[in-house]
Amino acid sequence: MKINRNDDCWCGSGKKYKKCHMSFDEKYEEMKRQGHMMLPRTVVKNEEQIKGIKESAKINTEVLDLISEKIHEGMSTEEINTLVHEYTVSKGAIPAPLNYGGFPKSLCTSINEEVCHGIPDSKIKLKSGDIINTDVSTILNGYFSDASRMFMIGEVSEEAKRLVEVSRECLIKGIEAVKPWGFFGDIGAAVQEHAEKNGFSVVRDFGGHGLGIQFHEDPFVAHVGEKGTGPVIMPGMVFTIEPMINQGGYEVFVDADNDWTAITEDYSLSAQWEHTLLVTEDGIEILTY
Ligand code: MF3
Ligand code: CO
């Protein structure tokens, strides 16, 4: 059914179509005619949803800041979990990992050769030389946000330090590759180039993801790829970039003891940083800063 200039926009903003997504639709149809891969318009968030996701992301960042402030040698990952859980619920929010697909804790803590989805445990204590990813995800009023940071505990080897720094640069390169009406392959290409140039590898089995109304939405955001390929990045999309970078090979396996924790196949170190982004008409906003 054709929508008229003066009708209400399909996004639910309550604005007239011509003042809202009319030019979006012209661009969408043009790129579709050119043969590009177009995701359904349902991946585009409206203003109200974006506002909700931003409020969720604000708490998510506060949680990560709290971890940054409190993390120390000798601390158990269970203690990090308690910090995250208590702060999140004190803000009227819910830790998204808790009970997600049966995940038992309120954040993921992945140390050294653990790639992602490490489970906090009172028996796991941070020791000098460890590198740890803390992956925090928040639900506020039904809206999701997701980000992670690395921490280096005590005296860390030069090689581990370099991995942590390069993985952070990979996230930044990935973010800089995001352009409205660009391609998801641009992100993967930028991350992969930087990681491999530094002698590291990029995990294939996990990626970033759309989010906002659910924890994991379309599309899957690969951290490897080729420029100018893949689905088109559209204004109004919210998704994560969260490259997992390995010191050795990119292969991983899931720990059979808990069915969650991904570990490098060769037990080399792995590092990851993550942000949630919003694509705007002329660029991006990092929502989890
Ligand atoms: N936070 C992870 C991500 O970045 C997802 C973790 S799923 C969980 O997508 F259940 F392990 F929490
Ligand atoms: Co994520």
Side-chain angles (χ1 to χ4, degrees):
M1 203 181 71
K2 184 147 163 43
I3 176 165
N4 291 308
R5 298 170 57 81
N6 290 313
D7 290 345
D8 286 347
C9 187
W10 51 257
C11 80
S13 63
K15 289 198 238 172
K16 284 190 199 293
Y17 180 51
K18 65 181 176 191
K19 296 233 158 162
C20 200
H21 279 91
M22 191 171 89
S23 59
F24 175 102
D25 279 347
E26 287 165 3
K27 185 74 184 169
Y28 186 100
E29 292 305 329
E30 180 196 330
M31 293 201 78
K32 194 172 168 173
R33 274 196 304 278
Q34 291 167 350
H36 297 301
M37 199 187 299
M38 305 308 290
L39 294 160
R41 287 171 179 76
T42 48
V43 299
V44 169
K45 267 65 184 177
N46 66 27
E47 280 171 24
E48 184 186 345
Q49 292 166 333
I50 289 166
K51 185 166 171 278
I53 297 165
K54 284 183 175 174
E55 285 164 4
S56 170
K58 183 171 177 287
I59 292 171
N60 203 73
T61 301
E62 289 169 7
V63 173
L64 281 164
D65 288 345
L66 180 66
I67 296 173
S68 302
E69 188 190 314
K70 302 280 186 191
I71 198 163
H72 61 268
E73 193 177 333
M75 187 181 206
S76 75
T77 51
E78 176 68 30
E79 289 172 78
I80 302 174
N81 184 74
T82 303
L83 269 182
V84 167
H85 189 87
E86 288 180 355
Y87 186 86
T88 304
V89 300
S90 81
K91 295 290 169 177
I94 302 165
L98 187 58
N99 302 320
Y100 177 80
F103 192 81
K105 296 288 174 175
S106 295
L107 84 158
C108 300
T109 50
S110 307
I111 301 176
N112 298 336
E113 69 280 359
E114 293 174 349
V115 174
C116 62
H117 301 167
I119 304 176
D121 192 314
S122 58
K123 295 192 292 293
I124 303 174
K125 293 203 166 69
L126 299 178
K127 56 184 196 309
S128 183
D130 282 346
I131 59 169
I132 177 176
N133 173 274
T134 64
D135 192 343
V136 174
S137 320
T138 300
I139 316 172
L140 180 69
N141 303 320
Y143 295 108
F144 289 77
S145 55
D146 190 3
S148 79
R149 295 181 192 165
M150 293 298 297
F151 298 98
M152 296 185 271
I153 308 300
E155 289 297 312
V156 169
S157 74
E158 282 307 313
E159 219 11 47
K161 218 178 271 178
R162 197 172 72 86
L163 178 68
V164 169
E165 278 161 15
V166 169
S167 62
R168 165 113 185 110
E169 291 160 7
C170 283
L171 171 59
I172 293 165
K173 302 264 181 199
I175 292 171
E176 286 171 352
V178 178
K179 301 278 181 298
W181 308 108
F183 300 90
F184 276 94
D186 302 347
I187 302 171
V191 170
Q192 185 175 13
E193 187 194 78
H194 192 66
E196 292 179 356
K197 193 172 79 188
N198 282 281
F200 299 136
S201 69
V202 181
V203 171
R204 272 65 163 162
D205 291 0
F206 300 95
H209 50 93
L211 80 165
I213 311 305
Q214 295 176 66
F215 198 169
H216 296 100
E217 303 175 5
D218 281 342
F220 174 83
V221 180
H223 300 113
V224 294
E226 277 176 54
K227 266 191 194 165
T229 67
V232 170
I233 298 170
M234 303 186 289
M237 289 185 76
V238 176
F239 58 88
T240 71
I241 302 180
E242 48 181 304
M244 284 142 271
I245 307 299
N246 297 351
Q247 204 174 30
Y250 62 73
E251 299 88 351
V252 305
F253 70 96
V254 174
D255 188 341
D257 291 340
N258 65 26
D259 267 344
W260 274 106
T261 310
I263 301 170
T264 53
E265 188 74 50
D266 56 12
Y267 292 93
S268 67
L269 296 175
S270 186
Q272 176 183 30
W273 295 80
E274 174 179 20
H275 271 310
T276 296
L277 316 181
L278 165 69
V279 184
T280 62
E281 272 162 46
D282 49 11
I284 56 134
E285 279 179 51
I286 301 174
L287 303 187
T288 45
Y289 248 147

